[in-house]
Amino acid sequence: MTSTADKRRAFRTLHDSGCFVIPNPWDIGSALYLQSLGFKALASTSSGFAWSQGRPDNGSPRERVLEHLAALAAATDVPLNADFENGFAADAAGVAESVRMAVETGIAGISIEDSIGPGRASPGRASPGHAGLGRAPAHPGGAKTAPLFELDTAVERVRAARRAIDAAGGEVLLIARAECFLVGLPDIEQTIARLRAYAGAGADCLYAPGIRSAVHIGAVVEAVHPKPVNLLMSAPAGLTLAEVADLGVRRVSVGGALARAAWGGFMRAARELAERGSFDGLAGAPTHSTVNALFEAG
């Protein structure tokens, strides 16, 4: 097995030039298959893992996510980037503690969101309860609270993550996410302002999930240059990998899209059985021996 230190060095090198795809497995089996295809790095997916546990996205407790990250890192020879949601804490000290524990799992990179998230509250606020994607969470009395941490708070959270990584040796890459486009605030100027602030707070790589147009992508890349940018491509968007690379993107992830694709095949086949008594939905599935062969060597 490749050592954790070697994985972390390789991960940093990947960010120096070019453009690479960093796909998102949701369990050990999917991680090993992606590794077998030659991908140079992998990233966990909070949604894919949560669904595999019968939970909604952002519904997994920190201890389960840490166990999941440790299992993926131990099972694979390529670097692993952790989708670590919003750090499982509202305050900077809590983020630092969460990041410290995540670094100990053997990851090579860690992404921290600036979204308050469903069922979470910013410091000094009551818990808003579970909120749907794209709308601000509401208090029980009907008043709304912002879906993102205030910028000063968000920046301090990034600084806290940076300090925690540096205290552990500084080998793990810190990726800071501006969630504006995912929480109903599709403002590219606000997004860029947040990303610049996070870069100044010590983020190694910047990420604005939800941007899709070449104009927005190019603007983000230019705004944070020379730091690398991660692009989320969770559905066909009219851009090829070569075109994305030409825009200056350094790495491309797919979030929960591969998990959704797997769920799509499973759901179609299951509905055929339940609603029509048909086995047609099983057509096109790989054979038992094909899948089994992926793991026999291990």
Side-chain angles (χ1 to χ4, degrees), residues 70-96:
L72 289 181
T76 53
D77 288 324
V78 296
L80 176 69
N81 192 100
D83 176 353
F84 210 51
E85 304 177 37
N86 73 354
F88 298 92
D91 63 299
V95 171

Side-chain angles (χ1 to χ4, degrees), residues 74-155:
T76 53
D77 288 324
V78 296
L80 176 69
N81 192 100
D83 176 353
F84 210 51
E85 304 177 37
N86 73 354
F88 298 92
D91 63 299
V95 171
E97 177 65 6
S98 293
V99 169
R100 180 192 66 78
M101 291 188 285
V103 169
E104 292 176 353
T105 67
I107 58 172
I110 186 167
S111 301
I112 300 292
E113 305 169 2
D114 59 4
S115 171
I116 293 172
R120 299 169 181 147
S122 58
R125 288 174 171 161
S127 175
H130 191 82
L133 181 66
R135 65 175 186 270
H139 287 294
K144 288 187 176 181
T145 181
L148 302 177
F149 287 99
E150 295 293 336
L151 182 57
D152 288 348
T153 300
V155 167

Side-chain angles (χ1 to χ4, degrees), residues 8-297:
R8 290 171 175 172
R9 282 192 290 269
F11 200 44
R12 284 193 170 272
T13 300
L14 282 173
H15 289 75
D16 288 343
S17 62
C19 181
F20 67 98
V21 177
I22 180 168
N24 306 75
W26 59 95
D27 61 11
I28 291 175
S30 57
L32 290 174
Y33 179 64
L34 290 170
Q35 178 178 276
S36 77
L37 294 178
F39 289 106
K40 302 301 184 183
L42 305 174
S44 68
T45 160
S46 64
S47 58
F49 173 63
W51 299 332
S52 75
Q53 303 297 301
R55 298 174 181 270
D57 191 14
N58 301 121
S60 301
R62 182 176 67 181
E63 60 270 20
R64 293 293 296 275
V65 172
L66 290 169
E67 292 170 359
H68 173 59
L69 294 175
L72 289 181
T76 53
D77 288 324
V78 296
L80 176 69
N81 192 100
D83 176 353
F84 210 51
E85 304 177 37
N86 73 354
F88 298 92
D91 63 299
V95 171
E97 177 65 6
S98 293
V99 169
R100 180 192 66 78
M101 291 188 285
V103 169
E104 292 176 353
T105 67
I107 58 172
I110 186 167
S111 301
I112 300 292
E113 305 169 2
D114 59 4
S115 171
I116 293 172
R120 299 169 181 147
S122 58
R125 288 174 171 161
S127 175
H130 191 82
L133 181 66
R135 65 175 186 270
H139 287 294
K144 288 187 176 181
T145 181
L148 302 177
F149 287 99
E150 295 293 336
L151 182 57
D152 288 348
T153 300
V155 167
E156 185 50 42
R157 286 160 46 81
V158 174
R159 288 198 184 106
R162 176 79 269 159
R163 289 192 295 269
I165 291 171
D166 290 345
E171 297 175 310
V172 172
L173 261 69
L174 174 59
I175 296 86
R177 296 173 45 143
E179 301 287 289
C180 306
F181 276 70
L182 293 189
V183 298
L185 300 171
D187 183 331
I188 191 62
E189 296 303 325
Q190 179 184 1
T191 299
I192 287 174
R194 283 180 170 263
L195 292 177
R196 281 176 168 162
Y198 303 156
D204 298 299
C205 178
L206 291 310
Y207 186 6
I211 61 171
R212 294 173 64 87
S213 73
V215 171
H216 285 169
I217 296 167
V220 166
V221 169
E222 181 179 0
V224 302
H225 182 79
K227 293 198 173 183
V229 168
N230 184 97
L231 178 66
L232 174 67
M233 296 290 280
S234 59
L239 291 170
T240 66
L241 182 61
E243 290 169 335
V244 166
D246 286 343
L247 291 171
V249 171
R250 188 58 46 82
R251 57 184 237 183
V252 181
S253 57
V254 298
L258 288 174
R260 287 190 289 107
W263 273 99
F266 165 70
M267 292 166 74
R268 285 190 295 272
R271 281 197 301 266
E272 286 283 316
L273 285 171
E275 297 170 6
R276 298 177 52 197
S278 169
F279 302 99
D280 290 348
L282 304 179
T287 64
H288 174 276
S289 58
T290 297
V291 178
N292 211 50
L294 294 173
F295 309 116
E296 284 178 337

